[in-house]
Amino acid sequence: MLSRPVRPFAQRVASATYLRAPQSFGRQTQTPAFSRHLSNVTQELIESRATAAKQELVVLAQAFARYDGDGSGALNHEELKLALQDLDLPSGEVDVHQLFSELDVNKDGTIELSEWLDRLPKGTKVQVVDKMNRAGGYVRFQIPDMPVVYTYTDEAPMLATYSLLPVFRAFLRMGGVKIVKRDISVAGRILAHFPDKLSFDQRVDDDLEALGKLAKTPTANIIKLPNISASIPQLCAAIKELQAKGYNIPDFPSDPKTEEEQDIRARYAQVLGSAVNPVLREGNSDRRCAVPVKQYAMKHPHKNGKWTPDSKSVVAHMTDGDFFGSEKSAVMEKVCSVRIELVSESGETTVLKAKTSLLPGEIIDSSLLSVQKLRAFYEKELENHDPDTLWSLHLKATMMKVSDPVMFGQAVEVFFKPAWEKHGALFKELGITSSNGVGDVYAKIQGHPKQAEIEADLKACYDSRPPLAFVDSRRGITNLHVPSDVIVD
């Protein structure tokens, strides 16, 4: 609320607006009495319309001045947001981002009075229905509709965006429902986390954060398409592409040492892995199949093919030293807190998480994986594998982005063990990480004096190990190239 009077300012704005009466109504000759009557009616109509227009301008100008908290003569994004909150709108009833974008015609990051007066949507999203009450000039907004949000992503949906989105638009247009796009692509999420590195016209809003808040409201209606759960190689590729297009974002620090590098790494961590689904699924995410589909499946159940005894396919898993074998859980009897510690063989304790608060009845669960036993398991399966079948590793290294990349990396090191042992020091010097896959090796040895030698040693591993499953055999992309290529879903 503002303490300064706003009515004189609004009146001055309103007084500058007027309507000009038409000079002529046609070429037909009218009687003097009829002409005078027509002139009086026209003048009354003009005056009534002009008065109504001035009153509306007064209301809109007073509302503008009321929410211009710093008296700058323009509203910023936060002031518009606070204005809508002050008007007692339920959370999610208005898309502030979309409204601000529509009002900010000159794209200077603020809403000026002229933009406010000229660009407020009429009869669609925001309407001024109560001009001004006599008790204190209170303006109330009414939101008659909430747009459907279509997520712009970067996996399969380019085809869907060009084919399915027009269908959505045509269908929703019949009911007067608006559909808006929100960018939750890897590139969009990267840019949203580095506004301080970008010029004003390059900055983008954090649409994922906004959708996360929207998803928790009853009015949310989000069409979420498949999105990339970025691995580090995918993230680095996106960074390089954005840098080539003129975006001054920093490189991904694989081994951060300074506070600045740690901050950069922390920002990129919010983009890595399955960063989208946990945010949007906090709300009312309906993943159930349609009733007719379910009824058809019940009426015509799918029958698996017969598994013949001579099949050579085998699914192998660890029997000792894995998460399943070491899992322990406890039910809390009272309110308490716990901390997570790592105790080394020498007795040194490292606190991994200082405090986690728990309530009565809550379950805390823990488990660990022995890397030594994991490597032994991989080696055993590689040695005993049938040479006539393909060897393949299936993990979910993007969703389980703490544990599974480690398990993937250990498989890479075991499969290419001779080459890794021979060139390990050079790999470390070049910043090659096994959790990024063997593709990281091929990428970072380009142009190195030992490139040919390393590639020959890797090929020798392919020759001595079981045949490896390919993701793209034409390009030589195997199951162990990138952690995000083959997942369990």
Side-chain angles (χ1 to χ4, degrees), residues 13-33:
V13 173
S15 65
T17 305
Y18 63 92
L19 293 176
R20 171 178 287 184
Q23 299 296 322
S24 173
F25 292 95
R27 298 189 177 186
Q28 294 182 359
T29 303
Q30 308 289 352
T31 64

mmCIF file of all heavy atoms in Angstrom, residues 13-33:
data_model
loop_
_atom_site.group_PDB
_atom_site.id
_atom_site.type_symbol
_atom_site.label_atom_id
_atom_site.label_comp_id
_atom_site.label_asym_id
_atom_site.label_seq_id
_atom_site.Cartn_x
_atom_site.Cartn_y
_atom_site.Cartn_z
ATOM 1 N N VAL A 13 -4.088 11.853 -15.856
ATOM 2 C CA VAL A 13 -3.968 10.892 -16.946
ATOM 3 C C VAL A 13 -5.283 10.786 -17.700
ATOM 4 O O VAL A 13 -5.334 10.804 -18.920
ATOM 5 C CB VAL A 13 -3.555 9.514 -16.396
ATOM 6 C CG1 VAL A 13 -3.599 8.478 -17.503
ATOM 7 C CG2 VAL A 13 -2.171 9.590 -15.795
ATOM 8 N N ALA A 14 -6.390 10.709 -16.941
ATOM 9 C CA ALA A 14 -7.691 10.541 -17.579
ATOM 10 C C ALA A 14 -8.084 11.775 -18.379
ATOM 11 O O ALA A 14 -8.693 11.670 -19.447
ATOM 12 C CB ALA A 14 -8.748 10.254 -16.513
ATOM 13 N N SER A 15 -7.741 12.947 -17.883
ATOM 14 C CA SER A 15 -8.150 14.163 -18.566
ATOM 15 C C SER A 15 -7.456 14.346 -19.905
ATOM 16 O O SER A 15 -7.889 15.140 -20.734
ATOM 17 C CB SER A 15 -7.870 15.382 -17.672
ATOM 18 O OG SER A 15 -6.473 15.523 -17.476
ATOM 19 N N ALA A 16 -6.377 13.622 -20.129
ATOM 20 C CA ALA A 16 -5.655 13.743 -21.398
ATOM 21 C C ALA A 16 -6.294 12.931 -22.506
ATOM 22 O O ALA A 16 -5.882 13.003 -23.654
ATOM 23 C CB ALA A 16 -4.208 13.310 -21.212
ATOM 24 N N THR A 17 -7.296 12.104 -22.157
ATOM 25 C CA THR A 17 -7.948 11.250 -23.138
ATOM 26 C C THR A 17 -9.326 11.805 -23.491
ATOM 27 O O THR A 17 -10.101 12.141 -22.601
ATOM 28 C CB THR A 17 -8.114 9.826 -22.569
ATOM 29 O OG1 THR A 17 -6.836 9.362 -22.165
ATOM 30 C CG2 THR A 17 -8.691 8.889 -23.611
ATOM 31 N N TYR A 18 -9.636 11.936 -24.755
ATOM 32 C CA TYR A 18 -10.927 12.474 -25.181
ATOM 33 C C TYR A 18 -11.323 11.827 -26.488
ATOM 34 O O TYR A 18 -10.541 11.165 -27.152
ATOM 35 C CB TYR A 18 -10.876 13.999 -25.334
ATOM 36 C CG TYR A 18 -9.900 14.447 -26.406
ATOM 37 C CD1 TYR A 18 -10.329 14.646 -27.725
ATOM 38 C CD2 TYR A 18 -8.556 14.655 -26.098
ATOM 39 C CE1 TYR A 18 -9.437 15.033 -28.692
ATOM 40 C CE2 TYR A 18 -7.659 15.041 -27.072
ATOM 41 C CZ TYR A 18 -8.118 15.237 -28.368
ATOM 42 O OH TYR A 18 -7.222 15.618 -29.329
ATOM 43 N N LEU A 19 -12.589 12.019 -26.878
ATOM 44 C CA LEU A 19 -13.107 11.502 -28.132
ATOM 45 C C LEU A 19 -13.511 12.670 -29.014
ATOM 46 O O LEU A 19 -14.096 13.655 -28.542
ATOM 47 C CB LEU A 19 -14.329 10.595 -27.888
ATOM 48 C CG LEU A 19 -14.043 9.287 -27.145
ATOM 49 C CD1 LEU A 19 -15.351 8.554 -26.905
ATOM 50 C CD2 LEU A 19 -13.080 8.437 -27.928
ATOM 51 N N ARG A 20 -13.231 12.607 -30.274
ATOM 52 C CA ARG A 20 -13.626 13.649 -31.227
ATOM 53 C C ARG A 20 -14.936 13.245 -31.895
ATOM 54 O O ARG A 20 -15.087 12.130 -32.366
ATOM 55 C CB ARG A 20 -12.534 13.847 -32.264
ATOM 56 C CG ARG A 20 -12.973 14.751 -33.412
ATOM 57 C CD ARG A 20 -11.854 14.972 -34.404
ATOM 58 N NE ARG A 20 -10.851 15.860 -33.843
ATOM 59 C CZ ARG A 20 -9.788 16.277 -34.546
ATOM 60 N NH1 ARG A 20 -9.609 15.860 -35.773
ATOM 61 N NH2 ARG A 20 -8.919 17.095 -33.993
ATOM 62 N N ALA A 21 -15.857 14.188 -31.964
ATOM 63 C CA ALA A 21 -17.148 13.921 -32.624
ATOM 64 C C ALA A 21 -16.951 13.861 -34.120
ATOM 65 O O ALA A 21 -16.130 14.592 -34.675
ATOM 66 C CB ALA A 21 -18.145 15.018 -32.280
ATOM 67 N N PRO A 22 -17.682 12.984 -34.797
ATOM 68 C CA PRO A 22 -17.558 12.898 -36.258
ATOM 69 C C PRO A 22 -18.018 14.182 -36.925
ATOM 70 O O PRO A 22 -18.930 14.853 -36.453
ATOM 71 C CB PRO A 22 -18.460 11.714 -36.625
ATOM 72 C CG PRO A 22 -19.408 11.569 -35.483
ATOM 73 C CD PRO A 22 -18.673 12.027 -34.266
ATOM 74 N N GLN A 23 -17.376 14.521 -38.067
ATOM 75 C CA GLN A 23 -17.687 15.756 -38.772
ATOM 76 C C GLN A 23 -18.962 15.635 -39.614
ATOM 77 O O GLN A 23 -19.656 16.602 -39.848
ATOM 78 C CB GLN A 23 -16.502 16.142 -39.674
ATOM 79 C CG GLN A 23 -15.211 16.384 -38.907
ATOM 80 C CD GLN A 23 -15.334 17.571 -37.965
ATOM 81 O OE1 GLN A 23 -15.961 18.562 -38.299
ATOM 82 N NE2 GLN A 23 -14.752 17.443 -36.789
ATOM 83 N N SER A 24 -19.244 14.464 -40.097
ATOM 84 C CA SER A 24 -20.400 14.306 -40.975
ATOM 85 C C SER A 24 -20.946 12.905 -40.848
ATOM 86 O O SER A 24 -20.220 11.974 -40.537
ATOM 87 C CB SER A 24 -19.989 14.572 -42.431
ATOM 88 O OG SER A 24 -21.059 14.274 -43.299
ATOM 89 N N PHE A 25 -22.239 12.749 -41.081
ATOM 90 C CA PHE A 25 -22.868 11.439 -40.978
ATOM 91 C C PHE A 25 -23.337 10.928 -42.324
ATOM 92 O O PHE A 25 -24.084 9.982 -42.430
ATOM 93 C CB PHE A 25 -24.063 11.508 -40.008
ATOM 94 C CG PHE A 25 -23.666 11.738 -38.586
ATOM 95 C CD1 PHE A 25 -23.653 13.031 -38.073
ATOM 96 C CD2 PHE A 25 -23.278 10.690 -37.774
ATOM 97 C CE1 PHE A 25 -23.276 13.250 -36.763
ATOM 98 C CE2 PHE A 25 -22.904 10.926 -36.474
ATOM 99 C CZ PHE A 25 -22.901 12.211 -35.962
ATOM 100 N N GLY A 26 -22.940 11.577 -43.372
ATOM 101 C CA GLY A 26 -23.375 11.112 -44.686
ATOM 102 C C GLY A 26 -23.773 12.274 -45.562
ATOM 103 O O GLY A 26 -23.801 13.424 -45.153
ATOM 104 N N ARG A 27 -24.123 11.962 -46.777
ATOM 105 C CA ARG A 27 -24.437 13.011 -47.753
ATOM 106 C C ARG A 27 -25.938 13.260 -47.894
ATOM 107 O O ARG A 27 -26.346 14.171 -48.605
ATOM 108 C CB ARG A 27 -23.857 12.631 -49.117
ATOM 109 C CG ARG A 27 -22.340 12.513 -49.082
ATOM 110 C CD ARG A 27 -21.782 12.355 -50.472
ATOM 111 N NE ARG A 27 -20.331 12.312 -50.441
ATOM 112 C CZ ARG A 27 -19.575 12.292 -51.546
ATOM 113 N NH1 ARG A 27 -20.138 12.294 -52.726
ATOM 114 N NH2 ARG A 27 -18.265 12.224 -51.438
ATOM 115 N N GLN A 28 -26.757 12.416 -47.223
ATOM 116 C CA GLN A 28 -28.191 12.610 -47.368
ATOM 117 C C GLN A 28 -28.646 13.878 -46.649
ATOM 118 O O GLN A 28 -28.146 14.215 -45.581
ATOM 119 C CB GLN A 28 -28.949 11.402 -46.803
ATOM 120 C CG GLN A 28 -28.694 10.130 -47.607
ATOM 121 C CD GLN A 28 -29.489 8.975 -47.038
ATOM 122 O OE1 GLN A 28 -30.197 9.137 -46.060
ATOM 123 N NE2 GLN A 28 -29.391 7.833 -47.686
ATOM 124 N N THR A 29 -29.615 14.586 -47.213
ATOM 125 C CA THR A 29 -30.113 15.828 -46.624
ATOM 126 C C THR A 29 -31.115 15.521 -45.519
ATOM 127 O O THR A 29 -32.012 14.712 -45.686
ATOM 128 C CB THR A 29 -30.795 16.694 -47.697
ATOM 129 O OG1 THR A 29 -29.868 16.932 -48.743
ATOM 130 C CG2 THR A 29 -31.276 18.017 -47.111
ATOM 131 N N GLN A 30 -30.905 16.114 -44.302
ATOM 132 C CA GLN A 30 -31.778 15.892 -43.166
ATOM 133 C C GLN A 30 -32.517 17.196 -42.840
ATOM 134 O O GLN A 30 -32.015 18.281 -43.102
ATOM 135 C CB GLN A 30 -30.959 15.437 -41.941
ATOM 136 C CG GLN A 30 -30.052 14.254 -42.215
ATOM 137 C CD GLN A 30 -30.824 12.971 -42.416
ATOM 138 O OE1 GLN A 30 -32.044 12.938 -42.202
ATOM 139 N NE2 GLN A 30 -30.131 11.921 -42.836
ATOM 140 N N THR A 31 -33.708 17.065 -42.229
ATOM 141 C CA THR A 31 -34.436 18.262 -41.794
ATOM 142 C C THR A 31 -33.713 18.888 -40.622
ATOM 143 O O THR A 31 -33.019 18.192 -39.867
ATOM 144 C CB THR A 31 -35.864 17.899 -41.360
ATOM 145 O OG1 THR A 31 -35.780 17.057 -40.215
ATOM 146 C CG2 THR A 31 -36.609 17.186 -42.488
ATOM 147 N N PRO A 32 -33.853 20.204 -40.414
ATOM 148 C CA PRO A 32 -33.167 20.860 -39.301
ATOM 149 C C PRO A 32 -33.526 20.255 -37.946
ATOM 150 O O PRO A 32 -32.658 20.051 -37.099
ATOM 151 C CB PRO A 32 -33.631 22.312 -39.422
ATOM 152 C CG PRO A 32 -33.973 22.480 -40.857
ATOM 153 C CD PRO A 32 -34.542 21.163 -41.299
ATOM 154 N N ALA A 33 -34.838 19.935 -37.753
ATOM 155 C CA ALA A 33 -35.259 19.374 -36.451
ATOM 156 C C ALA A 33 -34.614 18.007 -36.223
ATOM 157 O O ALA A 33 -34.129 17.685 -35.133
ATOM 158 C CB ALA A 33 -36.784 19.263 -36.407
#
